[in-house]
């Protein structure tokens, strides 16, 4: 169980009560947060996050390497057991990601465009 975040990343509050999320929704939210975090950004664990600056937002990045980095971060997410399908595209400063993952709570269909 975790705090639910709204579309801007702020903690969701309804009627002055913090909204909680669990199950597949919590795992999906955790994946979203992991992929939007830059490596080294989290002060208490600098290993958390994606190496956007050093491996992805560079001149002529290897899409094979970038895809493997993203897959690894997804699989490192608590509750994710396998990736069934995976499509990744990087166009300038926009990353489009679509995948289906198997979790301890069932399947997740994930599709998101991340502005970097």
């Amino acid at each position: 169980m975790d705090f639910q975040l709204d579309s801007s990343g702020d903690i969701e509050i309804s009627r002055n009560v913090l909204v909680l999320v669990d199950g597949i929704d919590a795992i999906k939210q955790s994946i979203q947060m992991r992929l939007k975090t830059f490596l080294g950004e989290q002060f208490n664990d600098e290993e958390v996050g994606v190496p956007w600056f050093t491996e992805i937002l560079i001149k002529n990045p290897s899409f094979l390497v970038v895809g493997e980095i993203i897959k690894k971060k997804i699989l490192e997410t608590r509750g994710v057991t396998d990736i069934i399908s995976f499509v990744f595209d990087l166009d300038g400063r926009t990353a489009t990601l679509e995948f289906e993952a198997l979790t301890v709570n069932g399947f997740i269909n994930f599709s998101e465009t991340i502005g970097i």
Side-chain angles (χ1 to χ4, degrees):
M1 200 169 290
D2 205 350
F3 296 119
Q4 182 170 325
L5 303 179
D6 64 17
S7 60
S8 67
D10 292 330
I11 295 175
E12 186 84 29
I13 299 173
S14 176
R15 297 182 181 167
N16 293 325
V17 176
L18 294 172
V19 179
L20 299 176
V21 63
D22 63 358
I24 287 177
D25 293 331
I27 295 170
K28 185 174 181 177
Q29 179 175 282
S30 185
I31 292 169
Q32 290 170 321
M33 290 177 55
R34 180 179 294 271
L35 295 179
K36 290 180 180 181
T37 302
F38 285 70
L39 185 65
E41 179 180 3
Q42 190 169 333
F43 72 93
N44 62 341
D45 186 352
E46 293 185 358
E47 297 300 314
V48 171
V50 177
W52 290 107
F53 289 130
T54 58
E55 300 288 334
I56 300 170
L57 298 175
I58 60 174
K59 186 176 181 179
N60 300 320
S62 166
F63 283 100
L64 183 61
V65 170
V66 171
E68 291 304 312
I69 290 169
I70 301 297
K71 285 180 189 178
K72 180 179 180 213
K73 293 300 177 180
I74 293 166
L75 288 169
E76 288 175 353
T77 304
R78 186 178 64 235
V80 175
T81 58
D82 197 11
I83 296 175
I84 308 304
S85 65
F86 181 85
V87 177
F88 175 76
D89 186 38
L90 184 61
D91 182 22
R93 296 188 58 84
T94 303
T96 303
L97 177 63
E98 294 180 17
F99 67 87
E100 183 178 18
L102 179 61
T103 74
V104 295
N105 296 101
F107 288 94
I108 289 178
N109 288 309
F110 187 98
S111 179
E112 186 161 339
T113 300
I114 303 169
I116 345 175

